[in-house]
Amino acid sequence: MKTILYISCSPRGAASHSRIIADELVDRLLSRHPGAEMIRRDLAANPPSFVDTAFSAAILGPQSAPPPALEESETLIRELESCDALVLATPMHNYGVPAVLKAWIDQIVRIHRSFRSTPEGKIGVLTDRPVHVVVASGGWFSGPSPTGTPPQPDFLTQYLRAVFATIGLRDIAFITLEGVTRGPDIAAKAYAAARQRIAEL
Ligand SMILES: Cc1cc2nc3c(=O)[nH]c(=O)nc-3n(C[C@H](O)[C@H](O)[C@H](O)COP(=O)(O)O)c2cc1C
């Protein structure tokens, strides 16, 4: 493995649960692949642009020489193409991905560039590679809480699977930290389970 792209999305800096565990995951990958180059992108500190009029028009135009409206998209897609593994650290916000991650997705999932639209459906253009997603959430979504509260809707994990598959990335593994705002004991259990997953990688 030569290059790891590490994308984080939490606005909570060093206190971010998803970032703390993703940092440990990255350390483990680096210990197994010493010398691998790390590309770090903090989407909370530097949010990608939102789709605007020029971008909407440009994605449908000729792609041979991408116009200025697609420059940022080109940069982000090339960054993704250059990595051998992607590590994504994200909170759950209102049952889904944070707005900054949605903005990144809208830049990288681009017709005629990272996927093609065919009569058989959308076909991804990127070569598959491992994608490790660390998700932190205040409550539970993969099943009921320890006290039996029903799980929340989850528009995050299935959504990420769908958008990554659209561009050709299907090797997705999730490490979830659920219930992290429900007290230190529950958070400790979530950390222990996440660290176990990392150890098993
Ligand atoms: C705007 C906002 C929306 C949130 N929505 C949810 C939610 O839908 N479900 C949930 O379980 N937790 C929700 N949370 C709690 C966060 O997922 C939780 O604090 C998590 O630890 C954030 O990840 P981080 O520690 O990596 O920043 C929300 C937090 C914020 C700030």
Side-chain angles (χ1 to χ4, degrees):
M1 185 180 296
K2 290 196 207 122
T3 308
I4 299 166
L5 174 58
Y6 178 11
I7 293 184
S8 54
C9 309
S10 171
R12 298 185 336 103
S16 158
H17 298 294
S18 56
R19 190 174 304 183
I20 289 168
I21 285 297
D23 281 353
E24 293 181 21
L25 170 58
V26 163
D27 285 347
R28 179 152 168 86
L29 291 176
L30 286 175
S31 74
R32 292 168 106 201
H33 304 278
E37 185 198 351
M38 284 287 308
I39 304 172
R40 290 172 194 270
R41 194 168 271 281
D42 181 342
L43 300 185
N46 296 295
S49 303
F50 288 159
V51 166
D52 60 10
T53 311
F55 182 97
S56 306
I59 59 168
L60 299 175
Q63 301 294 302
S64 45
L70 297 182
E71 251 174 43
E72 183 178 354
S73 167
E74 272 305 307
T75 300
L76 295 177
I77 292 172
R78 284 190 193 140
E79 206 167 72
L80 187 53
E81 286 174 327
S82 77
C83 78
D84 302 294
L86 169 64
V87 175
L88 174 60
T90 183
M92 171 179 272
H93 279 174
N94 296 318
Y95 311 139
V97 297
V100 290
L101 179 52
K102 179 62 165 60
W104 180 79
I105 289 167
D106 287 342
Q107 293 287 337
I108 59 134
V109 181
R110 204 175 101 205
I111 191 163
H112 306 311
R113 179 62 176 84
S114 53
F115 75 91
R116 290 182 293 115
S117 193
T118 78
E120 289 76 43
K122 294 176 179 176
I123 308 283
V125 169
L126 271 63
T127 308
D128 203 2
R129 70 209 72 201
V131 178
H132 303 279
V133 186
V134 179
V135 184
S137 59
W140 284 265
F141 59 84
S142 66
S145 80
T147 56
T149 307
Q152 309 171 68
D154 171 18
F155 297 106
L156 191 153
T157 58
Q158 294 310 312
Y159 172 67
L160 287 180
R161 277 192 196 284
V163 288
F164 280 130
T166 300
I167 60 173
L169 306 185
R170 295 174 183 280
D171 182 5
I172 320 281
F174 285 92
I175 295 178
T176 56
L177 287 148
E178 295 176 67
V180 284
T181 60
R182 307 298 167 95
D185 291 351
I186 290 172
K189 277 190 192 151
Y191 270 78
R195 286 178 173 136
Q196 183 63 35
R197 287 287 314 280
I198 292 174
E200 287 164 6
L201 281 178

